[in-house]
Amino acid sequence: MERININSSKRNELIDITAKISRLVEKSGIQNGLCFLYVPHTTAGITINESADPAVKNDLIKKLSELVPENNKYSHTEGNADSHIKSSLIGCSVIVPIENNSLALGTWQGIFFCEFDGPRARSVLFKAIEC
Amino acid sequence: MERININSSKRNELIDITAKISRLVEKSGIQNGLCFLYVPHTTAGITINESADPAVKNDLIKKLSELVPENNKYSHTEGNADSHIKSSLIGCSVIVPIENNSLALGTWQGIFFCEFDGPRARSVLFKAIEC
Amino acid sequence: MERININSSKRNELIDITAKISRLVEKSGIQNGLCFLYVPHTTAGITINESADPAVKNDLIKKLSELVPENNKYSHTEGNADSHIKSSLIGCSVIVPIENNSLALGTWQGIFFCEFDGPRARSVLFKAIEC
């Protein structure tokens, strides 16, 4: 298992980690298989979406904050109940197929670490199998 | 890896692909294992839900469009910011266990390709492992 | 494949199943690998979130019921259209890495079965691989 370190700089932020994951896939030597990414945090997530236009990630952040506002009479008193809820809506793991020693992402797809309670030092766990 | 081709006919549409996936599982010869499905698109998703009553998929489409309306002062200017957001809420991959060379779906479960920016020609990637 | 049995006691309820999954990982003897959990139901889900403060799961339940109210002019007439929608928003599977024969969960993470149409007798399917 490999661990990718990420430093977020805002409370809500989508960070493109595609290049980091691609390098780990290359290094693994796996020609055809599956890549598994796991976020060991409860106020963050991981998603795959368009990486070409940064407006897409900003729209996602804005909509999530509309649906799950920072202040909303929550029971959890640490001021980040919204961050926990966003984490469960987005999810903390993704799988991506590997083809010819590369991520089989679609043309417009990138992999984003989703920070919902930054800035913080974070990590993503990486596993890959040949299959 | 196998590639399933799908043609959607509406902007928002849930398409039951259970039969197609079942045939690939049978063809794989795998008795017990896991099936991985991956959508290489940024304005689509994949989910597992009730396939018996078509009202369920219509309710899901309607609720998603209420939560994430098509027009909502988005930054992304291609007219499909909502489609990208829905994609991240639903997710672009699922796993399903395989038992006795069949998908171990629950009684009411079906696998649905989720079109959020159709009509388009789409695909789903299929991988399965014995384990 | 192992099957974990769960009995929910409320309509909406998050049930911490971390200890049950941990025991299955230990029993599997797998040192390093991946654990796959699958919910074979269409009105339930599975998520990973904070297990220390029970307020977090209550906030998640409350917010989901705000976004997807029980009564909302749905087409599905069985009175649980909201439960189906919540199931697709949360998802019915998760993966967790295994390290040193233990779940590689983050410090605050627990695994929760999400009941959205209880009380019911439910199950979660467990698979694990060495890799």
Side-chain angles (χ1 to χ4, degrees):
Chain A
M1 188 154 65
E2 304 269 356
R3 188 177 291 263
I4 301 145
N5 295 312
I6 296 164
N7 288 298
S8 62
S9 58
K10 297 179 189 166
R11 187 168 194 275
N12 289 284
E13 184 179 9
L14 262 64
I15 299 172
D16 191 332
I17 57 172
T18 316
K20 288 184 181 191
I21 309 300
S22 292
R23 279 194 292 274
L24 289 178
V25 169
E26 279 172 43
K27 195 179 128 189
S28 75
I30 290 169
Q31 289 304 308
N32 294 288
L34 289 161
C35 158
F36 300 91
L37 301 171
Y38 183 79
V39 170
H41 308 291
T42 59
T43 53
I46 188 163
T47 195
I48 293 174
N49 214 313
E50 180 175 324
S51 56
D53 180 5
V56 169
K57 63 182 187 180
N58 295 335
D59 286 332
L60 178 56
I61 288 169
K62 195 179 159 208
K63 172 52 74 180
L64 282 172
S65 295
E66 277 174 29
L67 296 174
V68 190
E70 189 173 341
N71 300 305
N72 199 202
K73 296 186 183 169
Y74 299 111
S75 309
H76 185 56
T77 55
E78 294 176 21
N80 61 359
D82 61 315
S83 322
H84 287 291
I85 295 167
K86 289 173 181 176
S87 175
S88 279
L89 286 178
I90 293 297
C92 70
S93 62
V94 292
I95 59 165
V96 187
I98 297 170
E99 216 173 9
N100 304 320
N101 193 226
S102 296
L103 292 164
L105 292 168
T107 315
W108 305 104
Q109 287 184 319
I111 305 169
F112 292 90
F113 175 82
C114 305
E115 175 62 78
F116 297 128
D117 191 29
R120 284 181 192 245
R122 300 290 206 173
S123 57
V124 174
L125 307 183
F126 169 96
K127 277 264 188 195
I129 60 169
E130 184 97 40
C131 64
Chain B
M1 188 154 64
E2 303 270 356
R3 187 175 291 263
I4 300 145
N5 294 313
I6 296 163
N7 289 299
S8 62
S9 59
K10 296 178 190 168
R11 187 168 194 274
N12 289 284
E13 185 179 9
L14 262 63
I15 300 171
D16 192 331
I17 58 171
T18 316
K20 288 184 181 190
I21 309 299
S22 292
R23 279 194 293 272
L24 290 177
V25 169
E26 279 171 44
K27 193 178 129 190
S28 75
I30 290 169
Q31 288 304 308
N32 295 288
L34 289 161
C35 158
F36 300 91
L37 300 171
Y38 183 79
V39 170
H41 307 291
T42 58
T43 53
I46 188 163
T47 195
I48 293 173
N49 215 314
E50 181 176 324
S51 55
D53 179 4
V56 169
K57 63 181 187 180
N58 295 336
D59 286 332
L60 178 57
I61 288 169
K62 195 180 158 208
K63 173 51 75 181
L64 283 172
S65 295
E66 277 174 30
L67 296 174
V68 190
E70 189 172 342
N71 300 305
N72 199 201
K73 295 188 183 166
Y74 298 111
S75 307
H76 184 57
T77 54
E78 294 176 21
N80 61 359
D82 62 315
S83 321
H84 287 290
I85 295 167
K86 289 173 181 176
S87 174
S88 278
L89 287 177
I90 292 299
C92 70
S93 62
V94 291
I95 60 165
V96 187
I98 297 170
E99 215 172 10
N100 305 320
N101 193 225
S102 295
L103 292 165
L105 292 168
T107 315
W108 305 103
Q109 286 184 320
I111 305 169
F112 292 90
F113 176 82
C114 306
E115 176 60 80
F116 297 128
D117 191 30
R120 283 180 193 246
R122 300 290 206 173
S123 56
V124 174
L125 308 183
F126 169 96
K127 278 263 187 195
I129 60 170
E130 184 96 42
C131 64
Chain C
M1 188 154 65
E2 304 270 355
R3 186 177 292 263
I4 301 144
N5 294 313
I6 297 162
N7 289 298
S8 61
S9 58
K10 298 179 189 167
R11 187 169 194 275
N12 289 284
E13 185 179 9
L14 261 64
I15 300 171
D16 192 331
I17 57 171
T18 316
K20 288 184 181 190
I21 309 299
S22 292
R23 280 194 292 274
L24 289 178
V25 169
E26 279 172 43
K27 193 179 130 190
S28 75
I30 291 170
Q31 289 304 309
N32 294 288
L34 289 161
C35 159
F36 300 90
L37 301 171
Y38 183 79
V39 170
H41 307 293
T42 59
T43 53
I46 187 163
T47 195
I48 293 174
N49 215 313
E50 180 175 324
S51 56
D53 180 4
V56 169
K57 63 181 187 178
N58 296 335
D59 286 332
L60 178 57
I61 288 169
K62 195 180 158 207
K63 172 51 74 181
L64 283 172
S65 294
E66 277 174 29
L67 296 174
V68 190
E70 189 173 341
N71 300 305
N72 199 201
K73 296 188 183 168
Y74 299 111
S75 308
H76 185 57
T77 54
E78 293 176 21
N80 62 358
D82 61 316
S83 321
H84 287 290
I85 295 167
K86 289 172 181 175
S87 174
S88 279
L89 286 178
I90 293 299
C92 70
S93 62
V94 291
I95 59 166
V96 188
I98 297 170
E99 215 173 10
N100 304 319
N101 193 225
S102 295
L103 291 164
L105 291 168
T107 315
W108 304 104
Q109 286 184 320
I111 305 169
F112 293 90
F113 176 81
C114 306
E115 175 61 80
F116 297 128
D117 191 30
R120 286 180 191 244
R122 301 290 206 173
S123 57
V124 174
L125 308 182
F126 169 97
K127 278 264 187 195
I129 60 170
E130 184 96 43
C131 63

